[in-house]
Amino acid sequence: MKYKSCYDLHNSVFLAPDEIRTCCKRYHFDGKFKGDVPLFKVPDNIKTNELVQKILDSKEKIVQMLNTPDGYDPCNGCPFIEEKNWDYAPLTVGIKYLSLEYHSICNMRCDYCSDLFYGGITQNYDVTNLLKFFNEYGYFDSIDYVVWGGGEPTLGKDFDNSLKEMVKSVNMPKIRMITNSTTYNETIKTLIDANKLFIVTSVDAGSEDTFKEVRGLQAFEKVLKNLKRYSNSNPKNVIIKYIIKENNYSYEEINSFVSAIKRYGLENCYFQISVDFREDVLNIRELASIILLFNKLSNDCTGYIFFDDLILQRLPNCADDMILDEVDSQLISFGLTPENYCSVRSDSLSHLAIIGTGSQARIIAKKIKYFAMALKLVFVDPTNSLKMSELDGIKVISFDLYKRLPDKTCVIGAVQSSLIIYDLLESNGLLDNLISKPCL
């Protein structure tokens, strides 16, 4: 039977300081900024087994409300809601995605953030005991993603013990830790070296002054020093993020950022380019600065560079000649040319494989007009499980079949799984087939 729901309602748990949330998706609908939908406020002194049952009951209630004529207002308009045959009830096959943002203690005041993440609230439930319950009762048996944020996670109560509890599960995937790296943590370093954890740190600046303006703390050099310590044995497990904004997207700032990366020997780390989540649609200057940063990093660094979902979701119509003319003009002012990126004006691809079958792969196929021009387009299931033969009318093939294609030109169609897919391509000697330019 078909009904409305979403991946997160069925598979995810988001731990916040005093509530459990449905998701961390953010979107605009009817002039409103929506998302981060709560399941419920956590009652004080609740027992762990009661908390888990309340999560299950609340998810089922939201699914029921979504399928009434009025829907469920906090979720109405969400682009991630799907009407389809769901094979199981929420969490009955375990947790596939776990987000830990269970306190809002942070020593930074980033100008794109809010007191939701730095308000100083601590959790009113036992996180370590909850993780132990999930582990003992099989909720982690098929887990795919763990994202650990905050606040600043290292400042949380009992952080090291909670982290050690997480990695006890034999099924635990590599943990994604979102840390500002102002504090060096030896447990994090040990897990980075053991390939059990990777960190994501936003730097967002190329100078001490801009860092303080954007991130609210004078710690530019300190953060880079700690990133160097974290990355000295396993740089692939250190992702350095740059959120493009009006106060950090100048040519000089981006150039200084790349120079600082080289000065600290961080060229082998991975790099994530993002934008302010409050943006609705990216403007021309932001698009050009994204292309500039990508090209600067490509020229001077060896690590993998990728765009996150915020950029993909906020792309304007890049089949519009007026938009492309303005992007080209801005790039020329940076000393670049239109050949530094691909668009509908570039030569069409004969074949393109989008590696991934999740929501980001679908967005890429729809929103990146250059990819939509490919004469033959396929999705590739990197797990070889082939749970579907088509996705949005486009054929899905296994990774094993992809390896046998004569034309293996590809792009990674994922954000959370992008590092896994990149490593898969690298281990199979296929990185040369990955498109190496920004595409609009």
Side-chain angles (χ1 to χ4, degrees):
M1 176 182 169
K2 287 186 176 182
Y3 60 93
K4 294 177 183 176
S5 189
C6 73
Y7 175 90
D8 286 328
L9 271 171
H10 274 253
N11 301 294
S12 306
V13 173
F14 293 78
L15 305 182
D18 56 353
E19 66 183 15
I20 309 297
R21 295 181 187 138
T22 310
C23 69
C24 65
K25 300 291 191 296
R26 292 151 183 170
Y27 61 97
H28 291 81
F29 180 69
D30 279 349
K32 296 179 181 178
F33 185 60
K34 302 181 71 174
D36 285 327
V37 177
L39 279 176
F40 56 85
K41 290 288 184 181
V42 178
D44 290 335
N45 303 315
I46 190 170
K47 295 179 180 178
T48 297
N49 63 319
E50 294 172 351
L51 178 58
V52 173
Q53 188 59 52
K54 193 171 179 63
I55 292 171
L56 297 173
D57 293 344
S58 299
K59 282 178 169 285
E60 191 60 49
K61 183 177 179 180
I62 290 178
V63 171
Q64 292 173 4
M65 294 178 69
L66 264 178
N67 289 277
T68 62
D70 293 333
Y72 182 60
D73 183 67
C75 297
N76 288 345
C78 178
F80 296 95
I81 297 293
E82 297 180 86
E83 186 169 4
K84 68 175 190 178
N85 291 316
W86 295 88
D87 296 332
Y88 50 88
L91 299 189
T92 52
V93 297
I95 298 169
K96 292 186 179 296
Y97 186 110
L98 178 67
S99 170
L100 299 104
E101 294 183 335
Y102 53 83
H103 70 80
S104 59
I105 301 167
C106 189
N107 55 342
M108 285 190 161
R109 295 295 182 269
C110 302
D111 63 3
Y112 46 77
C113 198
S114 71
D115 61 5
L116 183 68
F117 300 102
Y118 58 65
I121 301 174
T122 58
Q123 68 271 24
N124 63 341
Y125 53 98
D126 190 331
V127 173
T128 302
N129 201 42
L130 178 60
L131 297 177
K132 189 178 295 185
F133 184 98
F134 284 151
N135 205 359
E136 290 177 356
Y137 285 86
Y139 282 90
F140 290 158
D141 285 356
S142 59
I143 192 164
D144 293 326
Y145 306 103
V146 177
V147 180
W148 201 312
E152 165 53 35
T154 60
L155 300 179
K157 176 185 176 183
D158 211 26
F159 168 74
D160 279 65
N161 286 332
S162 294
L163 181 54
K164 289 171 184 176
E165 182 62 41
M166 278 298 299
V167 297
K168 283 182 181 178
S169 172
V170 295
N171 302 301
M172 191 55 53
K174 192 186 294 187
I175 295 169
R176 181 176 184 243
M177 182 73 63
I178 303 170
T179 173
N180 60 35
S181 292
T182 56
T183 301
Y184 180 82
N185 180 280
E186 196 59 50
T187 303
I188 289 178
K189 168 63 173 169
T190 299
L191 293 174
I192 285 174
D193 290 350
N195 211 37
K196 292 184 176 182
L197 178 148
F198 67 94
I199 64 169
V200 181
T201 296
S202 278
V203 175
D204 308 332
S207 63
E208 194 74 69
D209 288 346
T210 301
F211 188 90
K212 187 174 189 306
E213 179 183 349
V214 175
R215 310 224 61 199
L217 187 70
Q218 196 151 348
F220 180 66
E221 302 290 341
K222 182 179 183 180
V223 166
L224 293 175
K225 288 176 184 176
N226 286 337
L227 290 174
K228 178 61 178 174
R229 293 176 71 187
Y230 281 138
S231 66
N232 59 15
S233 298
N234 205 343
K236 292 180 179 180
N237 284 336
V238 173
I239 299 177
I240 301 171
K241 185 175 176 182
Y242 199 104
I243 298 175
I244 293 284
K245 299 175 72 271
E246 186 176 356
N247 56 355
N248 72 357
Y249 66 20
S250 70
Y251 177 90
E252 293 76 17
E253 198 67 36
I254 288 173
N255 198 50
S256 294
F257 166 72
V258 177
S259 295
I261 292 298
K262 293 163 62 180
R263 187 168 71 251
Y264 278 90
L266 298 167
E267 300 99 319
N268 295 327
C269 296
Y270 286 2
F271 298 91
Q272 178 178 349
I273 303 176
S274 186
V275 292
D276 191 334
F277 69 87
R278 298 168 299 183
E279 292 272 2
D280 188 9
V281 179
L282 300 182
N283 62 44
I284 301 302
R285 180 59 188 269
E286 288 167 334
L287 281 174
S289 296
I290 288 166
I291 295 169
L292 170 66
L293 177 55
F294 189 100
N295 277 276
K296 287 281 184 183
L297 289 171
S298 295
N299 290 337
D300 292 325
C301 302
T302 58
Y304 173 49
I305 309 159
F306 64 102
F307 300 140
D308 71 12
D309 52 334
L310 296 180
I311 290 178
L312 298 173
Q313 292 162 16
R314 287 155 178 78
L315 280 178
N317 179 10
C318 292
D320 186 321
D321 278 337
M322 186 177 296
I323 288 176
L324 294 177
D325 285 343
E326 292 180 11
V327 171
D328 290 350
S329 177
Q330 186 65 62
L331 287 177
I332 290 168
S333 75
F334 288 155
L336 299 177
T337 68
E339 284 70 40
N340 288 105
Y341 73 102
C342 297
S343 72
V344 293
R345 293 175 172 176
S346 307
D347 292 336
S348 298
L349 295 164
S350 58
H351 292 77
L352 176 65
I354 298 177
I355 304 184
T357 56
S359 60
Q360 298 310 317
R362 299 172 68 187
I363 290 172
I364 284 171
K366 290 176 182 176
K367 295 208 70 173
I368 307 246
K369 305 302 181 184
Y370 176 63
F371 296 158
M373 292 167 49
L375 300 178
K376 186 171 183 180
L377 181 65
V378 295
F379 288 112
V380 177
D381 182 349
T383 68
N384 281 319
S385 61
L386 278 183
K387 294 178 181 177
M388 62 192 85
S389 59
E390 281 193 356
L391 185 61
D392 295 337
I394 299 170
K395 187 176 181 180
V396 178
I397 65 172
S398 67
F399 189 78
D400 286 341
L401 178 56
Y402 162 73
K403 290 191 294 185
R404 298 197 296 271
L405 294 178
D407 187 338
K408 300 180 185 65
T409 303
C410 69
V411 64
I412 294 175
V415 174
Q416 300 284 5
S417 302
S418 61
L419 306 187
I420 298 169
I421 295 173
Y422 184 87
D423 289 345
L424 180 64
L425 290 170
E426 184 177 43
S427 64
N428 282 273
L430 297 170
L431 281 183
D432 288 345
N433 298 285
L434 192 61
I435 293 176
S436 59
K437 290 183 181 180
C439 301
L440 302 179

